[in-house]
Amino acid sequence: MENRAGDQNHMDYTILNKLRQEGKLCDVVINVKGTKLNGHKIVLCACSTYFRILFTGDWTNSQKRVYSIPGVLPEMMKIIVEYAYTHSVVVTKDNVERLLPAADQLCVLGVVQACADFLEAQLCTHNCIGIWRFTNIYFCPELRRTAYRFILQNFEEVGQTSPEFLELTLPELCDIVEKDDLTVKQEDRVFDAVLRWTAHLPTKRKPHLSLLLSKVRMVLMNTRYLMNNLMSSPVMKDIECTPIILNTLRTITTSSDTSPNSPHPQHRPRLPHAVLLAIGGWSGNRPTSVVESYDTQANCWVTVAQTESPRAYHGTVYLDGFVYCVGGYDAVEFFSAVCKFDPVARGWHKVAPMHSRRCYVSVTVLRGCIYAMGGFDGYTRLSSAERYEPATNQWSLIPPMNEQRSDASAATLDGKVYVCGGFNGENCLCTAEYYSPDTDQWTLITPMKTRRSGLGAVTLGGEIYAVGGFDGVSRLRSVEAYDPPADAWRPAPDMLDMRSNFGVAVLDERLFVAGGFNGFSTALYAERFDPEAQRWASVRHMGAARSALACCAVADLPNVAEYAAPRLSPPALPLSVTATSHCTSGAQTH
């Protein structure tokens, strides 16, 4: 793999480069360990402050022609001289570790940036610590921030598998372990990583174990794990660790203060690596523009933004850093309009509208495109479908579905778009079908066991889950899952509450549902399904009851603190954002 820097317009340098290659009109010779490179002072000065000072300093003889450059390899100097004339450099895995130091020494910022960009693209769990430590020596602040954030966001795998992790110094490991934005599903993983680091050099590192454990949020650890593994670990048999163990057990049994704003850092939930956004919907007797974020670590909903205008019965997806809201209804107009939200810049922007107005629309993402299917245009239930390409900002029609469907739900699996259930204007549907972009056609699959309109469909564990909905008589709590190879549906555990027209998304390999209509009232309660435990569990209620909302999961935000329950020192939010938290002290999610 290679990275090319700055294909700038360098036509003005073409002649000079040709003269350099021919050795004509050159006024400087760069001597590196006996290798001599011809050049023009004016060109080298233009690309580097190092050369500018070298050639024009008060101590320099302006007539001097030959300059010896220490500390640089000849082949790296050749690349840098060529860059001065071409404004282009090829960075590869074979030269980056030698080229970056040379470019840093010679202050050739374009090459430094090209190397940093290359290393950032190569970041993985096995090299992220090495790249981060590399930036201790060479000034690449953006790469340093990116590598450090990568370590925090991928800490579970880094701590379990990376050889570089074992080479961290004590201060480096302490700094990482104590961070709020260290990403772990369970605090047990932090404890495991600390033990792995200690066991690598037990004689040298065991004396530091008590310090490290004081930074692990042991109060948040799974109690069963704590009892079964903590006490039996060989490295824990240290008299200095005993007070920490006893204090942890005492706190777990006597304290419930594990809220985000706990004064005890070791009791505070860490920031989530991903959040669930619940957008718009029908609240009270009108559509709403509220956007709430669910913080899985703190079991809190936080009101974080508002849509440009109230919207219900729309679709929402997250794609390439943007949250898209597709279609919907505002109690007056049925929308073909589509807008996107930048969760980092926190702004809304309109994009190209769909070909049709679509309320009760089904949306999903496949191969970098958004699919919008069916819905209601104010007159009829639709079978038409269309696809949006962000790169061209254009919607294009694809073949219509086999049935008219509004209030259906869509998900993607194995390169296909699945649409399940819905309402055709007369009946709630149990039928389902998939679209293959490879064949450009729709294919009916085995019908669901239950008619479902206003359901939620998601992909989880290699299956399509169809959740809740309305069968024409009652709101449902039942769930079924589709196995594509078998073309068969199987029953899955029922939800705790019946609901239709709710928000649904998968987050941390768990299925979340929020809000909806239960047949009597609009709901604010939410719950999640754990496929390993095969069990539903309640989570904290939303701030307001609403149905016809849409949910999506958003991961790896650099400003995730703005979408999480405020910790002890909350980040400043823009004045236009209401930072309302709906959480409970003592909420834990294990």
Side-chain angles (χ1 to χ4, degrees), residues 293-443:
S293 171
Y294 177 66
D295 178 344
T296 56
Q297 298 288 354
N299 190 23
C300 287
W301 289 91
V302 183
T303 302
V304 293
Q306 292 188 337
T307 57
E308 283 190 310
S309 59
R311 188 182 294 239
Y313 299 107
H314 53 291
T316 294
V317 295
Y318 182 60
L319 176 63
D320 295 337
F322 293 98
V323 176
Y324 288 81
C325 284
V326 180
Y329 177 60
D330 67 354
V332 176
E333 182 182 358
F334 297 90
F335 295 140
S336 62
V338 182
C339 57
K340 68 179 182 180
F341 176 67
D342 182 339
V344 177
R346 306 181 69 87
W348 289 93
H349 308 278
K350 285 183 170 61
V351 301
M354 295 179 288
H355 291 273
S356 299
R357 299 177 185 270
R358 299 183 188 273
C359 173
Y360 316 113
V361 63
S362 303
V363 299
T364 191
V365 169
L366 178 64
R367 297 176 184 171
C369 294
I370 300 172
Y371 286 77
M373 294 142 293
F376 180 63
D377 64 3
Y379 301 98
T380 187
R381 313 289 160 167
L382 304 173
S383 61
S384 65
E386 47 191 304
R387 175 173 55 211
Y388 176 75
E389 296 187 42
T392 60
N393 189 30
Q394 290 185 338
W395 288 90
S396 57
L397 292 172
I398 63 174
M401 297 180 289
N402 287 289
E403 296 207 48
Q404 296 170 284
R405 301 178 190 272
S406 70
D407 268 310
S409 191
T412 56
L413 180 62
D414 296 333
K416 299 179 178 67
V417 173
Y418 287 82
V419 178
C420 306
F423 181 66
N424 64 9
E426 295 182 0
N427 299 303
C428 297
L429 302 173
C430 62
T431 59
E433 54 189 302
Y434 70 79
Y435 171 76
S436 170
D438 297 328
T439 61
D440 194 31
Q441 66 182 35
W442 289 92
T443 303

Side-chain angles (χ1 to χ4, degrees), residues 18 49 66 237 240 296 298 302 309 318 341 398 454 511 524 541:
K18 186 176 180 181
T49 55
V66 180
K237 294 176 180 178
E240 292 186 18
T296 56
V302 183
S309 59
Y318 182 60
F341 176 67
I398 63 174
L511 194 165
L524 51 70
H541 295 347

Side-chain angles (χ1 to χ4, degrees), residues 4 141 164 170 177 192 227 268 288 302 373 456 521 565:
R4 293 180 180 271
E164 293 180 345
L170 177 64
V177 168
D192 288 341
M227 299 303 296
R268 265 199 321 267
T288 179
V302 183
M373 294 142 293
S521 61

